[in-house]
Amino acid sequence: AGSAKSSKRGRVQSATSNLSEQDNKTISDLKEKVSELEKKISTMEDLVDDDTKVEHKESMIGDMFNFVNLRKRVDGCEESLQSHAKLIDGLRKEKSTDCDSALIPLL
């Protein structure tokens, strides 16, 4: 395993030696930033114990389940409203047609 790491480093070093000094500096800066981010993430993970993380995940899963159920209810209500609106439009058109036919004999 150690020789695999050293051969990988050798390939990286040979690849970076073909790069400009500015590119090598940029890569070095990025490596530093990634290392700093890893430290920050590790510190942040240590702030919260595992039980709290599990509770939070369970809460999030419950929230997602509730959201899906509410979405289904809203969709059902929207479909019901659309069918009622069609029914009302049909009745209104039917009533309008009845009124027009009732007026024709008077003319």
Side-chain angles (χ1 to χ4, degrees):
S3 63
K5 277 188 174 181
S6 62
S7 67
K8 185 177 179 183
R9 285 183 185 156
R11 284 187 298 217
V12 170
Q13 287 176 349
S14 65
T16 55
S17 63
N18 295 333
L19 299 173
S20 71
E21 189 174 317
Q22 180 64 33
D23 291 338
N24 285 330
K25 183 178 179 339
T26 302
I27 290 171
S28 176
D29 289 345
L30 288 173
K31 286 179 181 178
E32 230 176 272
K33 288 179 182 180
V34 167
S35 177
E36 289 173 15
L37 287 173
E38 287 173 339
K39 288 176 188 175
K40 286 180 183 179
I41 289 172
S42 175
T43 303
M44 289 172 57
E45 286 179 347
D46 292 342
L47 292 175
V48 180
D49 63 349
D50 290 336
D51 292 338
T52 305
K53 289 178 189 176
V54 169
E55 289 174 12
H56 181 67
K57 286 178 185 176
E58 290 172 353
S59 172
M60 288 175 56
I61 291 169
D63 290 346
M64 289 172 30
F65 181 76
N66 287 336
F67 177 77
V68 169
N69 283 335
L70 287 173
R71 184 75 230 157
K72 287 180 182 179
R73 285 182 175 177
V74 168
D75 290 343
C77 289
E78 286 175 350
E79 290 174 14
S80 177
L81 287 172
Q82 288 174 353
S83 65
H84 283 91
K86 287 178 185 177
L87 177 64
I88 291 169
D89 284 343
L91 290 172
R92 187 175 43 190
K93 288 178 184 176
E94 186 178 305
K95 183 72 172 168
S96 174
T97 306
D98 289 347
C99 289
D100 290 344
S101 62
L103 290 176
I104 293 175
L106 295 175
L107 297 175

